[in-house]
Amino acid sequence: MPQPLDALAVRTWCSLALEALGREREEIDAINVYPVADGDTGTNLYLTVESAARAVEAVFAAYETGSGAPGLADAVRAMAHGALIGARGNSGTILAQLLRGMAEVLGERDGGAAEALRRAAESAREAVAHPVEGTILSVASAAAEAAHAAGAGDDATAVTAAYARACRALEETPGQLDVLGRAGVVDAGGQGLLAVLGALVEAVTGDAPAARPSSRPSPRGSARVHPVVSAATEPCADGGPAFEVIYLLEADDAAVTRLRSRLDGLGDSLVVVGGDGLWNVHVHVDDAGAAVEAGVEAGRPYRIRITHFAAAEHTEPRERVQRAVVAVVPGEGLAGLCAEAGATTVLARPGEPPASGELVEAIRRAHAREVVLLPNDFDLRHTAAAAAEQARDEGVRVALIPTRSAVQGIAALAVHEPDRRFDEDVVAMTSAAGATRYGELAVAERQSFTSAGVCQAGDVLGLIEGDVAVIGADLATTAETVLDRMLSAGGELVTLVLPDGAAEGLADRLEAHVRSGYLAVDTVIYHGGGAPLLIGVE
């Protein structure tokens, strides 16, 4: 039964699109033949949609804590923003702009699916420096034209027509782009977009569209298919740009116009998407430093990711190790510490928790038959569980230890012994984490009611096992009170994790406080955490 294109439909669409890309990710990765050999288009599209879906869920969660429900404008704007900040790779960046174009129309009261798809295709082409046919852009344009021809009054009819035409447009891509024709495959980015459009059809009509045949290449003559990333720009000859550079950028429109011109002269595959002061920049260049420097001149670049294509193309397959640990860490310093201990790390920045796809990618990077996953955050329990399940589907034996803080992860990692049996290792690590009580200091952002009373903006909050136990005026005194409360139940070892910018003398003061009041307790101090202070007591 057709559903109205409302906020709930957008939520359903994101969920279904994520499921579809999860199913097709490996196939999409496998058919990439243009222009660079790093085989991650399916993965990039999955991570982009996952970020969009998470943003939509956050909007619904915010309304659940109050009253009412989000409107369509709230949902589509969250979807577009989530895709923008989480966009990966060339195709993911273009998909983010497609979603932004749709949001511009659907966020208006009179906008419908047909007009939204038209604006999406138009804005995506505007974002690409040198559009080429036979790519995701061709599939998007064909879908938009079919939706418009079907009529603007019926969203179900429009999206169904768009999907049907997109299927045909995808099959036409090998005839539009020679490199696809030679390899005997369709465009990888276009196939990913088709999965997203199919999810939209199901969300609006209530019925899943008929599945199209697999696009995995079959052996044909001497054709050889290499997994490479899809793009929507001019073909790259062998010996093309060495690096992919991606970053978020805070800048005004005029600065971004100048940046486009500067980057276009540095390399190719240039895509700049976004607006309203926030942009996602993607380019292939030989001089990665110059591309980042251009962003600095334009505004404030951050979340900078640089990939060396040669490493992706020519890395020889390596033998899987027997066992690895994957740990989420809240700061660069802890990432280094855990890496020295042999763990593969995933950085969780303030306000930017990793998505399940990022955890799956870290498990793949670990390249092990057995993996112990340490989320180190209570709020990541569902994300980590989803990542573990996906990795298991890929044949990796994964044990998820539900660590709630980085100090519990440190304790677990300290007793990790890869040479003993997997089950024994997991039990020992789980026991060490469970025996570590954890605390944290934070600064209140607003007035709020807590389990320790009412706090004001700027108050220092001392949390024990996730609950506010102390409200104080300064960091050091509050930390001492938290330590006293935690040590009142006993303990042999205190672990303190301070941020790199911690006040001078804070570590010495807290260590002296423990030494003077608890003679049998040792203190270990690490730097490089994300919170003002993390505390562990074993």
Side-chain angles (χ1 to χ4, degrees), residues 20 96 238 244 326-327 351 386 388-389 407 447 470 486 493-494 498 506:
D238 291 342
E244 177 186 58
V326 173
E389 189 62 30
V407 291
Q447 183 186 63
V470 180
M486 294 180 71
L493 176 67
V494 169
L498 288 79
L506 177 61

Side-chain angles (χ1 to χ4, degrees), residues 509-525:
R509 173 174 169 174
L510 296 180
E511 184 177 16
H513 179 81
V514 173
R515 186 170 57 248
S516 64
Y518 309 91
L519 297 178
V521 178
D522 294 324
T523 303
V524 177
I525 299 172

Side-chain angles (χ1 to χ4, degrees), residues 52 94-95 138 155 186 196 199 230 249 256 328 337 363 368 488 531:
I94 293 171
L95 178 61
S138 303
D155 288 337
V186 298
V196 174
S230 173
L249 176 70
V256 170
V328 180
L337 173 70
I363 292 172
S488 66

Side-chain angles (χ1 to χ4, degrees), residues 11-30:
R11 186 186 199 183
T12 303
W13 176 26
C14 289
S15 176
L16 291 172
L18 193 61
E19 291 176 11
L21 288 170
R23 291 191 301 269
E24 297 189 32
R25 180 190 60 78
E26 289 187 4
E27 180 176 331
I28 295 170
D29 283 347

Side-chain angles (χ1 to χ4, degrees), residues 222-400:
S222 61
R224 184 181 178 192
V225 177
H226 300 270
V228 295
V229 67
S230 173
T233 55
E234 67 279 5
C236 294
D238 291 342
F243 298 97
E244 177 186 58
V245 179
I246 306 174
Y247 49 80
L248 291 178
L249 176 70
E250 293 178 357
D252 59 34
D253 291 2
V256 170
T257 298
R258 294 191 296 272
L259 175 66
R260 289 179 192 270
S261 178
R262 171 85 179 276
L263 292 179
D264 195 25
L266 289 176
D268 56 34
S269 294
L270 174 61
V271 186
V272 181
V273 304
D276 301 321
L278 180 62
W279 309 82
N280 192 309
V281 179
H282 170 282
V283 68
H284 295 175
V285 293
D286 281 320
D287 189 344
V292 174
E293 181 182 342
V296 172
E297 292 176 0
R300 187 178 80 88
Y302 60 103
R303 291 182 67 172
I304 300 166
R305 295 191 297 273
I306 300 174
T307 302
H308 187 208
F309 288 133
E313 288 183 41
H314 302 301
T315 298
E316 292 295 325
R318 57 190 174 96
E319 182 68 23
R320 284 184 179 272
V321 298
Q322 183 60 32
R323 188 175 310 156
V325 177
V326 173
V328 180
V329 292
E332 296 282 1
L334 282 185
L337 173 70
C338 293
E340 287 177 7
T344 298
T345 61
V346 179
L347 189 62
R349 297 178 176 84
E352 299 177 9
S356 65
E358 293 175 83
L359 300 186
V360 173
E361 283 302 299
I363 292 172
R364 294 184 187 126
R365 286 202 315 275
H367 205 61
R369 298 181 182 90
E370 303 167 338
V371 170
V372 180
L373 179 57
L374 305 174
N376 296 337
D377 187 337
F378 177 75
D379 291 335
L380 288 178
R381 62 194 186 282
H382 297 309
T383 300
E389 189 62 30
Q390 183 173 340
R392 292 183 189 115
D393 290 342
E394 297 178 7
V396 182
R397 188 181 184 188
V398 181
L400 171 59

